[in-house]
């Protein structure tokens, strides 16, 4: 029986592969949505960078350029290179103002932070009218520098000042606070301490309230007194907050300007002997009393470098002590 064979199918009769559907054309709305999703984060943060470039980076760079020029107010700039920096580091007035800035900063910062820490520790307990004391601590910070400094200038007056009147009760003669060397610095440090103690106390209080109460309860069960709890629970928990206040207070002390200027009746010489002339007053004197804007810009840049160096030093010391504590455990 013969077997009939089927002729092979031609390639034309083979079923064709199913074609993939082509992607729909992207409309203009889809393109806008995609662009918005990518660009929205940059648009949200752009106001910060615009303000930073306009009021932060550009003045910093422009001040650096001015410091390399001999620039008097009303006269064209003349490029002099590093001559202004040579003048500054050869000037006895610069070292005097640098030393006064350091001493006033120490006299104001150390008592200020210690008082703030003590006040915050007291406010951390359940006290009557505690909210009243919290609000009252912000009143010095809300007071203008001019108002507070003028009031304290009257309190530290030589002839009719309240402070000398109180000192006369214990047989101390009247002190010439403004014309003395250490006395003028103490008076300015008292003004700064009065203004910023409450602000730092509230920062410490917020840090204390973030410490877990379980740590205090465990320390109490172990027989620790309130003072021991403060040393071994509160202070270690406040270490980042204390570092923050030290850095901010150091920056503020380096830039001290309003208090010594108003304490000296608006004179930028810092007293007859420059006994309280800070770097801020020295820069103001060169720029607006002597119209030497190039030298003033030089002082500003040196102050900026000094602030950065002090911040890095404080941060490095804090990290070094933290590393040592972890290594000893």
């Amino acid at each position: 029986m013969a077997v009939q064979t089927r002729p092979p199918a031609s390639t034309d009769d083979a079923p064709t592969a199913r074609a993939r559907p082509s992607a729909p054309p992207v409309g203009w709305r889809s393109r806008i949505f995609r662009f918005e999703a990518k660009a929205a984060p940059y648009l949200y943060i752009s106001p910060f960078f615009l303000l930073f470039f306009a009021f932060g980076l550009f003045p910093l760079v422009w001040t650096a350029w001015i410091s390399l020029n001999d620039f008097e107010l009303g006269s064209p700039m003349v490029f002099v290179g590093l001559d202004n920096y040579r003048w500054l580091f050869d000037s006895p007035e610069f070292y005097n103002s640098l030393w006064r800035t350091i001493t006033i900063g120490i006299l104001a910062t150390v008592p200020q932070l210690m008082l703030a820490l003590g006040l915050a520790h007291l406010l951390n307990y359940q006290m009557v009218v505690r909210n009243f004391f919290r609000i009252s601590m912000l009143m010095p910070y809300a007071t203008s520098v001019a108002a507070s400094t003028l009031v304290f200038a009257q309190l530290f007056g030589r002839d009719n000042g309240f402070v000398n009147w109180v000192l006369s009760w214990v047989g101390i003669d009247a002190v010439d606070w403004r014309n003395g060397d250490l006395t003028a610095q103490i008076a300015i440090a008292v003004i700064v301490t009065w203004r910023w103690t409450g602000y730092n106390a509230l920062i410490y209080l917020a840090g204390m309230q973030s410490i877990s109460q379980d740590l205090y309860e465990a320390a109490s069960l172990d027989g620790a007194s309130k003072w021991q709890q403060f040393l071994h629970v509160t202070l270690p928990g406040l270490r980042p907050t204390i570092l923050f206040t030290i850095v901010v207070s150091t920056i503020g002390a380096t830039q001290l300007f309003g208090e010594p200027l108003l304490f000296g009746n608006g004179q930028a010489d810092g007293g007859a002997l420059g006994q309280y002339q800070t770097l801020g007053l020295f820069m103001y004197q060169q720029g607006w009393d002597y119209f030497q804007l190039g030298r003033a810009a030089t002082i500003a840049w040196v102050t900026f470098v000094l602030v950065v160096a002090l911040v890095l030093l404080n941060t490095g010391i804090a990290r070094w002590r933290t590393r040592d504590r972890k290594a000893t455990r």
Side-chain angles (χ1 to χ4, degrees):
M1 181 177 178
V3 179
Q4 295 181 355
T5 58
R6 186 176 179 180
S10 62
T11 56
D12 295 337
D13 296 335
T16 58
R18 181 177 296 178
R20 294 181 180 179
S22 59
V26 179
W28 61 272
R29 291 185 177 179
S30 300
R31 292 192 181 93
I32 291 178
F33 290 152
R34 291 181 182 179
F35 175 78
E36 182 181 2
K38 295 180 179 179
Y42 299 98
L43 292 176
Y44 292 148
I45 64 175
S46 61
F48 166 77
F49 286 102
L50 291 176
L51 293 176
F52 173 74
F53 285 132
F55 300 101
L57 184 60
F58 173 74
L60 190 65
V61 175
W62 183 244
T63 303
W65 170 249
I66 294 178
S67 68
L68 301 176
N69 290 267
D70 182 9
F71 183 27
E72 296 185 11
L73 192 64
S75 301
M77 290 191 298
V78 178
F79 183 79
V80 292
L82 299 178
D83 286 352
N84 288 330
Y85 291 91
R86 296 189 187 96
W87 162 84
L88 182 65
F89 292 117
D90 290 338
S91 173
E93 296 179 352
F94 166 69
Y95 295 102
N96 174 73
S97 60
L98 178 62
W99 175 246
R100 305 304 178 185
T101 301
I102 294 173
T103 54
I104 295 175
I106 294 175
L107 290 173
T109 301
V110 176
Q112 173 193 148
L113 297 183
M114 294 180 64
L115 287 173
L117 191 60
L119 291 173
H121 185 62
L122 292 176
L123 290 177
N124 197 30
Y125 291 103
Q126 296 295 331
M127 298 174 56
V128 182
V129 296
R130 181 174 58 175
N131 292 330
F132 169 76
F133 288 108
R134 290 180 180 179
I135 296 174
S136 63
M137 284 187 177
L138 279 178
M139 293 179 63
Y141 174 70
T143 307
S144 66
V145 178
S148 59
T149 305
L150 292 177
V151 170
F152 273 93
Q154 296 297 322
L155 294 178
F156 285 103
R158 182 187 61 182
D159 299 326
N160 300 316
F162 177 77
V163 176
N164 283 339
W165 179 60
V166 173
L167 293 177
S168 65
W169 294 354
V170 293
I172 300 178
D173 296 333
V175 178
D176 192 356
W177 295 94
R178 181 176 284 110
N179 294 322
D181 189 357
L182 183 60
T183 56
Q185 299 177 45
I186 292 175
I188 296 174
V190 169
I191 302 173
V192 178
T193 301
W194 177 84
R195 178 173 169 79
W196 291 100
T197 298
Y199 174 82
N200 289 315
L202 292 182
I203 294 178
Y204 287 150
L205 179 61
M208 290 179 183
Q209 292 180 347
S210 65
I211 300 175
S212 176
Q213 293 297 322
D214 296 338
L215 299 176
Y216 291 100
E217 294 177 0
S220 179
L221 292 176
D222 291 338
S225 62
K226 294 293 185 181
W227 175 248
Q228 290 174 333
Q229 293 178 24
F230 177 76
L231 289 179
H232 301 289
V233 178
T234 304
L235 287 182
L238 280 180
R239 190 174 293 114
T241 307
I242 293 175
L243 176 61
F244 170 77
T245 54
I246 291 176
V247 170
V248 173
S249 299
T250 302
I251 295 174
T254 308
Q255 299 175 344
L256 192 63
F257 173 73
E259 289 84 354
L261 178 67
L262 295 173
F263 186 77
N265 295 324
Q267 300 296 322
D269 53 2
L273 301 176
Q275 62 268 21
Y276 55 89
Q277 187 182 49
T278 61
L279 287 174
L281 285 183
F282 185 43
M283 178 180 62
Y284 181 87
Q285 182 186 45
Q286 293 296 322
W288 302 110
D289 287 351
Y290 302 153
F291 303 114
Q292 297 287 340
L293 298 184
R295 294 181 175 181
T298 304
I299 300 170
W301 248 94
V302 171
T303 304
F304 170 74
V305 174
L306 178 63
V307 169
V308 173
L310 290 175
V311 171
L312 294 177
L313 178 63
N314 287 330
T315 306
I317 292 175
R319 291 181 178 178
W320 173 66
R321 295 185 63 182
T322 303
R323 191 182 303 112
D324 286 348
R325 287 192 182 96
K326 291 180 179 180
T328 55
R329 290 179 181 177

